[in-house]
Amino acid sequence: MAFSSTANRSWEKSATTSLTPPQGKPHPPPQEATHVDVDAAVIAARKAFDGVWARKRPHEREACLLRLADLLLKNSREISEIASIESGRLLSNTRGIDVEHSVLVLRYMAEMATKIKSTTLPLSIPYMPQGEFDGYTYREPIGVVAAIVAWNVALGIAIWKIAPALAAGCTVVLKPSPQTPLTALRLAELAVEAGIPEGVLNCLDW
């Protein structure tokens, strides 16, 4: 399944089956993405990077991430239950580590969007000894980031990768583990609700 804030928002029947660790019973998995979905996600991410996300000011990116953190907290029970079902961990564990820790990381990284600094240095040029020059570095987002996530603490690891990339102005194609894709797909839905523009965060189950 490819869920992106642009391309494919539909849920389709999958030919594969995932098991819920606590019961050993199958739960309805999202359809696996294909190379076509991967290409579409990268194109969508690049389009968003060159367009709407690039035009967002740092304080606007910060606001988007803070809203996403608030939505994670608001939906903490649901997301904790999803994480428990697909990973087999206790609800108290998934709420504390997957959800509450992710909220803290999102809020921290959101604030970093307005704290990205450049450096200015005085330059001394031998062949122009009396000249006064300055050199500076300017930090800018690099483009589309591919984020691959392991099965353990899936949501937390996804946030560790997504939050700094989005704060810096990059766009993301997220590839969760096929064993634990559901929290990442739910995160992509919440990102849309938080006002993160279409194509900025794209999630592939593959």
Side-chain angles (χ1 to χ4, degrees), residues 123-133:
L123 301 179
S124 177
I125 301 177
Y127 56 84
M128 298 183 68
Q130 305 305 317
E132 295 184 4
F133 303 96

Side-chain angles (χ1 to χ4, degrees), residues 1-12 33 36-45 47-48 172-173 188 192 197-204:
M1 166 70 197
F3 184 101
S4 105
S5 17
T6 79
N8 180 4
R9 299 184 185 182
S10 63
W11 298 92
E12 302 176 22
V36 175
D37 294 310
V38 176
D39 290 343
V42 173
I43 290 170
K47 182 179 178 180
V172 177
V173 176
V192 175
E198 294 188 348
V200 172
L201 175 60
N202 306 270
C203 186
L204 297 167

Side-chain angles (χ1 to χ4, degrees), residues 75-92:
N75 295 274
S76 60
R77 177 74 186 191
E78 174 201 359
I79 296 169
S80 300
E81 289 177 350
I82 293 172
S84 292
I85 288 169
E86 66 179 1
S87 68
R89 289 179 292 133
L90 295 174
L91 195 60
S92 59

Side-chain angles (χ1 to χ4, degrees), residues 120-187:
T120 302
L121 297 172
L123 301 179
S124 177
I125 301 177
Y127 56 84
M128 298 183 68
Q130 305 305 317
E132 295 184 4
F133 303 96
D134 290 320
Y136 67 91
T137 60
Y138 179 76
R139 298 183 184 275
E140 59 184 14
I142 196 169
V144 179
V145 173
I148 300 175
V149 175
W151 64 270
N152 56 321
V153 196
L155 179 63
I157 297 174
I159 293 295
W160 298 344
K161 295 172 182 286
I162 291 169
L166 296 184
C170 296
T171 55
V172 177
V173 176
L174 174 65
K175 162 62 177 71
S177 166
Q179 284 77 36
T180 54
L182 301 181
T183 49
L185 292 168
R186 185 68 179 110
L187 175 67

Side-chain angles (χ1 to χ4, degrees), residues 25-105:
K25 297 178 181 180
H27 64 75
Q31 181 170 336
E32 290 185 350
T34 67
H35 68 280
V36 175
D37 294 310
V38 176
D39 290 343
V42 173
I43 290 170
R46 186 70 213 189
K47 182 179 178 180
F49 176 76
D50 291 333
V52 61
W53 198 236
R55 292 193 295 270
K56 289 282 188 185
R57 303 298 298 164
H59 73 273
E60 294 176 304
R61 298 198 301 269
E62 177 183 17
C64 286
L65 292 176
L66 289 175
R67 285 194 297 269
L68 181 56
D70 291 341
L71 285 170
L72 273 180
L73 198 57
K74 179 181 177 181
N75 295 274
S76 60
R77 177 74 186 191
E78 174 201 359
I79 296 169
S80 300
E81 289 177 350
I82 293 172
S84 292
I85 288 169
E86 66 179 1
S87 68
R89 289 179 292 133
L90 295 174
L91 195 60
S92 59
N93 182 275
T94 57
R95 181 183 175 95
I97 297 177
D98 294 58
V99 179
E100 293 177 357
H101 178 72
S102 294
V103 168
L104 292 175
V105 172

